[in-house]
Amino acid sequence: MEVIICPNAQRVGEVAAAKAARIAAPIGPKVVLGVATGSSPVQTFAELARLVASGDLDLSEASAFALDEYVGIPEGHPQSYHEIIRQTVTEPMGLDPARVHVPDGFADDLQAACQAYEDAITAVGGVDIQFLGAGSNGHIGFNEPTSSLSSRTRIKTLAAKTLEDNARFFDSIDDVPRHCLTQGLGTIMDARNVILVATGTGKAHAIAQIIEGPITAMYPGSVLQLHPHATIVVDSEAAAELSLIDYYKATYANLPEWQRLDV
Ligand code: GLP
């Protein structure tokens, strides 16, 4: 696991995007992205869009797969993840909307929609770069505490903490959908590279557990300790409860030339 501590959220976005661009370069324009909603990856996606606009990153034939979607919210609803991904990923990065996928939380048969989603990821050969945020309870996607570490895309019930955290996007907490479809932890772990970003003190405890705690379904993001190519980029606030801060900083400052990011 590579841990990079940045001074602020803007820098987190720049570093995460530079890391992704480095991974994407040898893959070429057909790179398959895994994309997340939430506030965490907003700067990262904006920076990726800037790299596309400047010609430094070619996503002209890229596909994208969102992590999750609420159940029962129609596609055009401002809080549907279909809509958020359209605004933060598809349009700014100039992706072909036909190649951008979000689980269908409005399907009559939700279980079939989950299987179809897994099949669609398999059909393009899997995800090359999975972007992740983390919930304040350590969830990734909507894999709430006690999610199976080998779970696949399925229906989940949101934890009370997530309902509370996401209430800010709705008129009231009662309007937050209770159910969602989410890629499983096993699905996420199949991605060839993972980049998790987190900022702010509200994430400090979850980040410490994900990086330095035991691998446990109580902090689902801790499964990333088993991933061979996981990078976690955090600001100093989200890093506050880590015990090896000096080590992570020294490692990044002393990267060999060929590993250094161009930021
Ligand atoms: C949301 C999403 C996650 C996201 C997380 C954190 O509910 N399902 O994919 O990473 O919670 O959100 P934020 O980045 O806004 O803190």
Side-chain angles (χ1 to χ4, degrees), residues 46 57 65:
L57 177 64
F65 288 86

Side-chain angles (χ1 to χ4, degrees), residues 2 4 11 14-23 231 233 252 255-263:
E2 179 180 28
I4 304 175
R11 191 70 182 158
E14 289 166 4
V15 167
K19 180 82 188 179
R22 167 74 63 87
I23 296 167
T231 300
V233 190
Y252 189 63
L255 281 178
E257 192 64 43
W258 61 271
Q259 258 186 340
R260 283 198 194 148
L261 295 173
D262 191 19
V263 275

Side-chain angles (χ1 to χ4, degrees), residues 35-42 67-70 81 131-137 139-144 158 162-163 165-166 168-169 180 182 196-199 203:
V35 291
T37 54
S39 48
S40 305
V42 165
L67 282 168
D68 44 20
E69 175 60 291
Y70 291 117
Y81 286 179
F131 294 98
L132 295 169
S136 60
N137 62 359
H139 76 212
I140 53 175
F142 269 135
N143 292 281
E144 300 288 27
L158 299 195
T162 305
L163 291 173
D165 286 351
N166 289 6
R168 68 190 195 277
F169 299 117
C180 63
T182 181
L196 185 148
V197 291
T199 58
K203 299 293 172 67

